[in-house]
Amino acid sequence: MASRLGSDDDADNNKGSMWALEQKLDQPMDEEAARLKNMYREKKFSALLLLRLAYQSLGVVYGDLGTSPLYVFYNTFPHGAKDREDVIGALSLIIYSLTLVPLLKYVFIVLRANDNGQGGTFALYSLLCRHANLKIIPNQHRTDEELTTYSRATIHERSFAAKTKRWLETHAFNKNSILMLVLVGTCMVIGDGILTPAISVLSAAGGIKVNRPDVDSGVVVLVAVVILVGLFSLQHYGTDRVGWLFAPIVLLWFLLIGGIGMYNIWNYDSSVLKAFSPVYIYRYLRRGGREGWTSLGGILLSITGTEALFADLAHFPVSSVQIAFTLVVFPCLLLAYSGQAAYLLLNLDHTKDAFYRSIPEKIYWPVFVVATAAAIVASQATITATFSIIKQALAHGCFPRVKVVHTSKNFLGQIYIPDMNWILMILCIAVTAGFKNQNQIGNAYGTAVVLVMLVTTLLMILIMLLVWHCHWILVVIFTLTSLVVECTYFSAVLFKVDQGGWAPLVIAGVFFIIMYVWHYGTLKRYEFEMHSKVSMAWVLGLGPSLGLVRVPGVGLVYTELASGVPHIFSHFITNLPAIHSVVVFVCVKYLPVYTVPEEERFLVKRIGPKNFHMFRCVARYGYKDLHKKDDDFEKKLFHNLFVFVKLESMMEGFSDSDEYSLYGQQTVESRDAVLNNNNNDNTASSNVDLSISTVDSIVPVRSPSPVNITVQSSDRVSSHTEVDELEFLNNCRDAGVVHILGNTVVRARRDSRFYKKIAVDYIYAFLRKICREHSVIFNIPHESLLNVGQIFYV
């Protein structure tokens, strides 16, 4: 899409018909229309297709939740159960925890808060940023709201939602608090990605010792470490290549644990089914006292993987995930836990290996193999979710630049981050070999899980108010129900902070410092560019040659600004006596949407008069998009630039000073006119919106006279009179393209406080040193790269 960004200074509003058209185009997509569109899209799925998608979702979404029966009862009763009533009470807690949290809260409520099918903490944050001005880096433009993926609801001015929105937008503290809340949730998900493989694989490998008691515990840990090394070493292949194995493995796993549960209920003690009465929860907590209360940390593990259920939502419609949970996952888990409880009623001292000891002898080793495979699948799903949420944090400017690789041509969300993969592997092995104890890892795991759930609950309150416009009574019911359950579990895990619960807090604390300091540095860098940008009066005063020698070629100046001339440009021309014949300011920015359609990605406008040959091009991406995927980014940029110039020449009589807005619905006539004249452009074709309207006012002006363009080089001077601009641009591109990047060094002022100096001069400087350069992220060839250094103090 070739379009104008709008003038840097606001123009007077026009009273004509084009103003009405502008207002119509500026209106965001109505929530009801978006809802109906989603309903229509859902209805297109036949019942058979939904069942097939539900089957496939088992392998991606439910692996983590499904492997919890491996370790729940051991972490609930690490020293054995004292009484039969304790087992029934614990089972009752598990039943109602599964019902309230995964089933009611997540499957039927939270999953509906997806961002066009994308789930996770940052997806909720993106939804909020679209419905309220919560984004701290203000690099958005009004044309961004016209994207087809930028859907948001209108809010009545006198509603409670509008008051909440104004309260959030007015105070910078509120915006920072929400961002910090999101970062805490993200850090806990990263901790989840470390702890899930550790506890799942170690618990599965523990089956060796149950059937072979003479095997040393060190051997079990060694087997778990070998499996983990193999798991992380295969990540670069991506889940797409081995994903076809996931669904049958997890389905077989659920059928096995459900069948074994039914067998145990029938074979041992069917009276365990009275745990479906909530009365036994009250009896359990009253009788257990503090020890019973702290055992809730083990019961919490029965709902681990629920947050991964939401984060891994990307490739399945919500209805298919709901079908899989209600028809397969939920009943099989209830049967599995009930069967283990029935076995424990007659074997109170076998809580450590309740799962493996309750397996019939004839099928022990086949179940062990399937359990190990299911643990690997569960770990894979959590690792993939960790990669996904790091990519989202990277897009929001909250994580250092890392290499992101797409592992699937079919699924945009399947990515691999090499740097984080090896960091996760090292930390995961350290946890497994360091603790050597499922109970301590379980305590750490529970702490991470409950904190993520609390963050989701707090964000969901805002989603229900600002996005769904729910009645305040419904919001209160949801909030109280969620907080009562989650705060109860949170208070229980606090008692186990010294027993392993400190691990995720330390991990999350380190990642939180990294993410917050990086975001702080990014924000300060953007503010520096905003405050030090060059005025248009200064640029115009330089004249057509910009006061320098204009050498053949195109200079692509990368900047974070979507408007205005960046300081790097003045710094560059101050230190060098020449500039390219064509200058394009390129801004690559991420928006709070999951993806930007290819045909809507680029915005183009002219800066200054035509004979300056200066343009701005903004490339917009969503948090699921990957810039490096555009191997022909340069070709697409020039293609959109050429289309803009052609449209501009067609609309010479309609101008607001020197800029045009090119957006809206395509017209067949204008599209054909441009494409038929596109003889000089051999780049990849893209859909370009070509109808013309203005954003500000429309002022008819005379067509500009032909321009005399002089191009000077070191050995010759050639003069071109009345040269066609497109031919001139083509010649300049053939002469060479240079990518100019700003290498900005951020330092704290001398009078800054000591913690600010530590954060900026040491932590942020270290992160910039070890993270990937912009040139690598933008896929810029080294022979075409020019770095411009500058220092600023914060």
Side-chain angles (χ1 to χ4, degrees), residues 652-759:
E652 289 275 337
F654 301 92
S655 169
D656 58 336
S657 68
D658 58 344
E659 299 174 319
Y660 299 89
S661 173
L662 312 174
Y663 64 83
Q665 298 298 319
Q666 294 185 25
T667 59
V668 177
E669 295 82 5
S670 60
R671 182 174 64 245
D672 292 342
V674 172
L675 294 181
N676 290 335
N677 291 324
N678 194 10
N679 297 324
N680 296 324
D681 187 8
N682 296 321
T683 59
S685 61
S686 63
N687 296 324
V688 183
D689 295 332
L690 305 177
S691 61
I692 312 299
S693 68
T694 59
V695 173
D696 301 313
S697 60
I698 302 175
V699 182
V701 297
R702 291 181 301 171
S703 298
S705 58
V707 180
N708 292 329
I709 303 170
T710 301
V711 180
Q712 298 180 352
S713 63
S714 57
D715 56 344
R716 63 188 176 90
V717 177
S718 58
S719 178
H720 303 274
T721 305
E722 298 182 358
V723 177
D724 178 78
E725 190 172 18
L726 284 175
E727 183 180 350
F728 178 76
L729 291 175
N730 260 321
N731 292 336
C732 290
R733 182 175 66 169
D734 294 338
V737 178
V738 176
H739 301 258
I740 304 171
L741 285 175
N743 188 13
T744 306
V745 177
V746 185
R747 291 180 182 172
R749 294 190 182 94
R750 289 185 177 180
D751 57 346
S752 300
R753 296 182 182 274
F754 75 95
Y755 56 82
K756 186 175 181 180
K757 289 182 179 179
I758 293 174

Side-chain angles (χ1 to χ4, degrees), residues 7 105 192 246 253 400 475 544 627 658:
S7 59
K105 178 186 173 182
D192 196 2
F246 288 1
W253 167 253
V475 178
H627 176 74
D658 58 344

Side-chain angles (χ1 to χ4, degrees), residues 5 125 129 133-145 147 150 175 394-398 519 522-523 525-527 529-530 533 559-564 586-593 603 616 618-621:
L5 283 177
Y125 183 61
C129 286
N133 185 20
L134 299 179
K135 197 172 182 184
I136 297 178
I137 301 178
N139 63 347
Q140 286 184 232
H141 190 269
R142 58 177 175 270
T143 52
D144 297 335
E145 299 176 9
L147 291 170
Y150 199 102
K175 295 182 181 181
L394 181 67
H396 283 81
C398 297
H519 183 268
T522 303
L523 176 62
R525 221 171 58 241
Y526 180 83
E527 289 177 349
E529 288 209 36
M530 281 292 295
K533 66 181 180 180
T559 174
E560 296 185 11
L561 297 180
S563 63
V586 181
C587 173
V588 177
K589 69 176 182 178
Y590 286 87
L591 302 177
V593 295
L603 296 172
R616 182 189 322 286
V618 177
R620 304 175 295 181
Y621 292 84

Side-chain angles (χ1 to χ4, degrees), residues 253-379:
W253 167 253
F254 277 118
L255 294 178
L256 277 174
I257 63 174
I260 293 171
M262 293 177 63
Y263 170 81
N264 288 337
I265 293 171
W266 176 266
N267 191 49
Y268 291 105
D269 195 340
S270 59
S271 66
V272 74
L273 296 178
K274 61 186 179 182
F276 281 86
S277 171
V279 174
Y280 289 91
I281 297 177
Y282 168 73
R283 292 181 181 177
Y284 176 79
L285 295 176
R286 186 187 65 178
R287 184 175 58 256
R290 174 172 175 172
E291 186 177 349
W293 191 265
T294 56
S295 69
L296 293 176
I299 292 170
L300 170 65
L301 299 181
S302 64
I303 54 177
T304 55
T306 305
E307 196 63 38
L309 177 157
F310 181 43
D312 285 325
L313 185 63
H315 309 301
F316 303 99
V318 173
S319 54
S320 66
V321 177
Q322 293 172 334
I323 289 172
F325 188 84
T326 52
L327 295 184
V328 178
V329 179
F330 187 63
C332 287
L333 286 176
L334 292 183
L335 288 171
Y337 287 117
S338 299
Q340 287 186 46
Y343 172 82
L344 289 175
L345 287 179
L346 303 181
N347 304 275
L348 294 176
D349 56 339
H350 287 178
T351 55
K352 183 175 181 180
D353 307 303
F355 173 77
Y356 281 112
R357 289 185 180 274
S358 64
I359 299 174
E361 184 66 28
K362 293 182 179 179
I363 60 171
Y364 182 86
W365 288 113
V367 173
F368 170 77
V369 172
V370 176
T372 305
I376 293 173
V377 172
S379 304

Side-chain angles (χ1 to χ4, degrees), residues 57 361 464 546 581 634:
S57 71
E361 184 66 28
M464 295 177 76
L546 301 179
S581 301
E634 189 179 302

